[in-house]
Amino acid sequence: MASDKLKIIGKAILILIPYGLERLRQKLLAVQHRWSYEALPTAQNVVIIGGSFAGIELAKRLVETLPTGYRVILIEKNSHLNFSWVFPRFSVISGYEKKAFIPYDGIARSAPAGIFSRVQDTVTDITASQVNLASGEKIDYAYLAIATGSSQPLPAKVLSTDANEGSKELRTVQEHIQAANRVAVIGGGAMGIEIATDIKSFFPSTEVTVFHSRNQLLPSFGQKLHDFVLLAMETLGIKVVLEARPEILPGQKSLRLAGVVQEFDFIIPCTGQHPNSSILESLESGVISKMTKQILVKPTLQLQDPNGTLGHIFAVGDVANTGGPKMGRAGLFQSEVVVKNILAMIDQREPAATYKPKLFVEGAIKLTLGKTECVMYAQEEDGTEYLFNVHNGREDLGVERAWWQMGTKYKADT
Ligand SMILES: Cc1cc2nc3c(=O)[nH]c(=O)nc-3n(C[C@H](O)[C@H](O)[C@H](O)COP(=O)(O)OP(=O)(O)OC[C@H]3O[C@@H](n4cnc5c(N)ncnc54)[C@H](O)[C@@H]3O)c2cc1C
Ligand SMILES: NC(=O)c1ccc[n+]([C@@H]2O[C@H](COP(=O)([O-])OP(=O)(O)OC[C@H]3O[C@@H](n4cnc5c(N)ncnc54)[C@H](OP(=O)(O)O)[C@@H]3O)[C@@H](O)[C@H]2O)c1
């Protein structure tokens, strides 16, 4: 494992140094852009739908690069960024839930005046030149990027669009978990494993059972991670039932498996994602994959529409069938492709930038395994796997760093 650690760190440095230098170059160019950009009342809109990991990154880069005559409008239904990476932990222990909802105010702090605005609303559908909102408002666009991600059952995602109500939803889950003697977690993906290990390590007397559909936990990663995680879960005292796809019965307290009903005090569904692609249905349902419901895109991340008329619309992040991992980091690399292609099209050039997933960096995972343990894992294209365990750090998982990355600072009364 020590050699795995050296390999992961060495490889990460080789990738991060050129990335860091490129970001520095971009920041310097952004200073120049700030002085030269002129806000015009006639500016055309580049609209982004969805203000999470992919949409925010795209917005940040577009406000550094769009020429005079264009501006960015970010449409997001939530009042705050829902920082879901800490939802498993903050659904188990109390007192931190407000930290999971980060204000949007800081994301374009150093952008030129007039280039950026955010609208809190829900997009219902789109036409080839307009976005329709639940409020009844319509917004024209010249270019559109869809970054609507996916929906998941609570506690991977909350239902409310308001931060205070979202915090309440997490508190309700905490109350159920903390009052329970027997908990079942359905689904052995990263979400299911993080919440199950947190419950068992913060509340050791609670009986925790994980039911997973396949014989490999975390099936989008490799066997080595499965072996490591299974051992860690069993060491904690979690019962893991593989190749089991139970049906959750109404009330979330009982499930049916192989005809037998089992009772629990609380059942937590961690059964995966449903892409939010329906806003495209009325414009062109042919760009929605029948199998995965993701939006079909070309390597340029333009829509792969059957008639070839929607090249001014892009899709990024978890909602798009990019071939990349469903991780926040993938959205970062995809956003850069979209920025380059929109700038090229504004400049009357062919959109030539293409997305090719960098599995080692985009698909790497830091997986918490309870209060103190955590595993770092990365995989090469040829299947070679590396992992090492690290200490988990702070109880709030150092979430304040994410606030800083969003251009703001955590204040207890925010
Ligand atoms: C519990 C958990 C922990 C994770 N931890 C990590 C991690 O440590 N590292 C990592 O790299 N990845 C992690 N991931 C994966 C990562 O969070 C996702 O890959 C990432 O959120 C995808 O970002 P996205 O912007 O594509 O979509 P999403 O994050 O799903 O965001 C989509 C956004 O669009 C908005 N939206 C949707 N529809 C509409 C509409 N019609 N109108 C207006 N707004 C709309 C939503 O409100 C949302 O804000 C984790 C995922 C989960 C669930
Ligand atoms: N620390 C991190 O970086 C982190 C943490 C959390 C999530 N994530 C990422 O976020 C994404 C979503 O993760 P997720 O764990 O929510 O979803 P996921 O990766 O899709 O895992 C859900 C798992 O549950 C299984 N499942 C579905 N229904 C089931 C049922 N009824 N009974 C038993 N098993 C069932 C699925 O298997 P089938 O395919 O067979 O249905 C799947 O393997 C992933 O890309 C993940 O890597 C990352």
Side-chain angles (χ1 to χ4, degrees):
M1 242 195 278
S3 69
D4 279 16
K5 185 173 181 175
L6 282 178
K7 279 190 187 123
I8 290 187
I9 292 173
K11 239 181 125 99
I13 288 173
L14 285 180
I15 293 165
L16 290 176
I17 288 178
Y19 175 74
L21 290 173
E22 177 58 14
R23 270 312 281 148
L24 187 65
R25 190 185 74 86
Q26 290 171 351
K27 284 281 165 208
L28 292 173
L29 289 172
V31 175
Q32 190 188 345
H33 174 260
R34 197 154 57 237
W35 287 104
S36 62
Y37 180 85
E38 206 184 322
L40 301 178
T42 52
Q44 297 186 68
N45 299 329
V46 178
V47 170
I48 303 168
I49 310 174
S52 182
F53 297 95
I56 289 174
E57 191 55 35
L58 187 53
K60 280 182 173 174
R61 286 290 295 131
L62 284 172
V63 300
E64 291 177 351
T65 52
L66 276 183
T68 294
Y70 291 86
R71 67 181 165 214
V72 182
I73 302 180
L74 176 65
I75 307 172
E76 165 57 53
K77 64 184 167 69
N78 293 333
S79 64
H80 291 61
L81 168 67
N82 287 199
F83 191 66
S84 56
W85 299 7
V86 291
F87 279 16
R89 168 66 52 91
F90 295 0
S91 308
V92 173
I93 54 168
S94 311
Y96 299 119
E97 53 285 345
K98 278 195 161 185
K99 290 188 175 183
F101 300 90
I102 308 178
Y104 280 110
D105 315 341
I107 58 174
R109 205 179 278 292
S110 46
I115 200 170
F116 176 77
S117 59
R118 177 174 62 90
V119 175
Q120 190 191 346
D121 210 329
T122 300
V123 173
T124 52
D125 63 307
I126 59 178
T127 71
S129 59
Q130 226 171 30
V131 169
N132 296 324
L133 304 180
S135 61
E137 199 189 333
K138 296 176 189 305
I139 297 180
D140 292 333
Y141 67 85
Y143 297 96
L144 176 69
I146 302 173
T148 45
S150 61
S151 301
Q152 284 179 260
L154 184 72
K157 299 253 165 110
V158 294
L159 277 176
S160 175
T161 55
D162 171 78
N164 287 326
E165 292 301 313
S167 292
K168 267 192 213 162
E169 288 182 49
L170 294 185
R171 278 200 295 277
T172 305
V173 181
Q174 292 163 14
E175 282 160 18
H176 283 296
I177 289 173
Q178 292 171 15
N181 293 314
R182 298 185 73 206
V183 172
V185 173
I186 313 299
M191 172 69 203
I193 287 163
E194 288 196 331
I195 198 161
T197 49
D198 269 356
I199 296 169
K200 190 66 189 168
S201 66
F202 282 98
F203 305 106
S205 62
T206 306
E207 247 180 62
V208 180
T209 308
V210 174
F211 294 90
H212 180 59
S213 54
R214 310 189 185 202
N215 63 5
Q216 185 190 335
L217 294 164
L218 297 140
S220 28
F221 302 88
Q223 185 67 30
K224 196 168 171 176
L225 187 61
H226 161 88
D227 293 341
F228 187 90
V229 169
L230 183 62
L231 181 63
M233 289 169 89
E234 288 176 345
T235 307
L236 272 171
I238 295 171
K239 186 174 168 198
V240 181
V241 185
L242 297 176
E243 296 186 87
R245 190 182 287 278
E247 179 197 351
I248 304 175
L249 301 174
Q252 239 173 292
K253 287 198 172 211
S254 53
L255 53 81
R256 189 182 294 120
L257 180 64
V260 178
V261 173
Q262 300 183 36
E263 304 288 338
F264 292 86
D265 298 317
F266 191 48
I267 298 178
I268 307 172
C270 299
T271 45
Q273 306 177 304
H274 306 280
N276 296 321
S277 54
S278 62
I279 55 169
L280 268 170
E281 282 288 354
S282 56
L283 175 63
E284 179 50 87
S285 60
V287 292
I288 302 174
S289 158
K290 292 206 169 31
M291 217 164 63
T292 64
K293 295 286 175 208
Q294 284 181 307
I295 301 173
L296 301 172
V297 287
K298 300 177 189 172
T300 54
L301 303 181
Q302 294 167 288
L303 295 198
Q304 198 179 346
D305 61 304
N307 303 319
T309 55
L310 301 176
H312 58 310
I313 307 181
F314 296 79
V316 280
D318 283 3
V319 76
N321 193 355
T322 59
K326 289 183 195 155
M327 297 292 270
R329 251 166 283 117
L332 193 131
F333 288 95
Q334 290 160 15
S335 295
E336 200 53 41
V337 171
V338 174
V339 170
K340 285 194 175 120
N341 286 336
I342 289 179
L343 292 178
M345 289 167 85
I346 287 175
D347 213 19
Q348 308 291 316
R349 287 180 286 114
E350 276 299 303
T354 55
Y355 171 66
K356 189 168 179 302
K358 298 175 188 65
L359 183 67
F360 189 85
V361 57
E362 293 171 36
I365 186 165
K366 182 181 177 192
L367 187 75
T368 62
L369 294 170
K371 198 194 295 193
T372 55
E373 296 309 307
C374 188
V375 60
M376 299 284 301
Y377 171 90
Q379 193 175 20
E380 307 253 31
E381 309 287 343
D382 67 4
T384 312
E385 300 174 81
Y386 305 103
L387 66 74
F388 63 93
N389 59 324
V390 280
H391 193 270
N392 218 346
R394 287 168 38 173
E395 204 170 73
D396 72 357
L397 301 169
V399 64
E400 286 167 25
R401 201 170 50 246
W403 283 65
W404 175 77
Q405 281 164 348
M406 284 281 289
T408 186
K409 201 167 181 298
Y410 177 72
K411 289 187 223 86
D413 58 350
T414 310

